[in-house]
Amino acid sequence: MRKIIVIEFISLDGVLQGPGGPEEDTSGGFKYGGWTFPYFDEFSGAVMGEQTKEPSDLLLGRKTYDIFASYWPNHGEGWPGVNEARKYVVSHEDFTPGWENTVLVKDNVVEKLKKLKAEDGEDLKVWGSGNLCQTLFKNDLVDEMWLKIFPVTLGNGKRLFAEGTIPAAFKMTDCKFSPGGVIIANYTRAGEVLTGSF
């Protein structure tokens, strides 16, 4: 059985939209694309290097897949193994993938993702893919989260934890912070929410 690991850049108020550049995702009138750029440094780059060097398959929503497929086939030296990895892309529409080793996941998505998790193989890493994350959280399919929390609030935009996120407990497995104030925190699923009283 393999894990689904959600890897995200998020603001303090939970926004994950358009972290990489001004034109990455302007839907809904979002105007702060590229908000992570001022905080990236050598430390953050080293963390990214560690998180991309482990062999894995990718599980991506269509928008993130299109962004990745337009860049990584010609820049694979920056992420060794990304082009050889199997890419599962969740899409409502049929399309002909142009990136090698791509598998389309369409119709009965939740059941298909459960079957993927149950198989032997590399862990499935989800980068970005905000809409897909909502499906994963709603159906309790997330085993780990690797979050990079940036010291900025954005006010509006797509959020990591939106409607449909189920109550769930997580345990922190690693935490560090960059000189620029980015908190790098890893969590693993840890059962049900516990409550009590003071």
Side-chain angles (χ1 to χ4, degrees), residues 20-85:
E23 305 303 320
E24 186 177 68
D25 183 359
T26 59
S27 61
F30 188 71
K31 59 184 181 179
Y32 297 108
W35 51 272
T36 64
F37 180 78
Y39 301 96
F40 260 91
D41 52 27
E42 187 175 328
F43 182 92
S44 300
V47 169
M48 293 297 297
E50 286 294 314
Q51 293 186 347
T52 57
K53 79 175 185 180
E54 297 283 334
S56 67
D57 289 338
L58 301 183
L59 176 60
L60 304 171
R62 177 66 187 276
K63 185 180 287 288
T64 300
Y65 174 84
D66 286 345
I67 292 168
F68 278 24
S70 71
Y71 181 81
W72 289 112
N74 299 314
H75 300 88
E77 70 284 352
W79 185 348
V82 70
N83 291 313
E84 295 75 24

Side-chain angles (χ1 to χ4, degrees), residues 7 29 32 34 51 114 119 129 149 161 169 198:
I7 304 170
Y32 297 108
Q51 293 186 347
K114 287 179 179 178
E119 293 174 358
S129 307
I149 305 163
F161 303 107
F198 291 103

Side-chain angles (χ1 to χ4, degrees), residues 124-186:
L124 298 157
K125 291 183 179 175
V126 181
W127 294 83
S129 307
N131 292 335
L132 171 59
C133 285
Q134 305 315 307
T135 299
L136 297 174
F137 284 124
K138 184 177 181 180
N139 292 280
D140 200 12
L141 293 173
V142 176
D143 297 290
E144 295 184 19
M145 294 184 292
W146 298 354
L147 306 180
K148 290 136 198 88
I149 305 163
F150 287 73
V152 60
T153 56
L154 298 171
N156 62 14
K158 297 174 184 174
R159 285 178 159 72
L160 178 58
F161 303 107
E163 294 180 15
T165 300
I166 64 166
F170 287 83
K171 176 184 178 182
M172 182 177 284
T173 57
D174 189 33
C175 186
K176 56 191 92 154
F177 60 91
S178 76
V182 179
I183 300 168
I184 295 106
N186 294 357

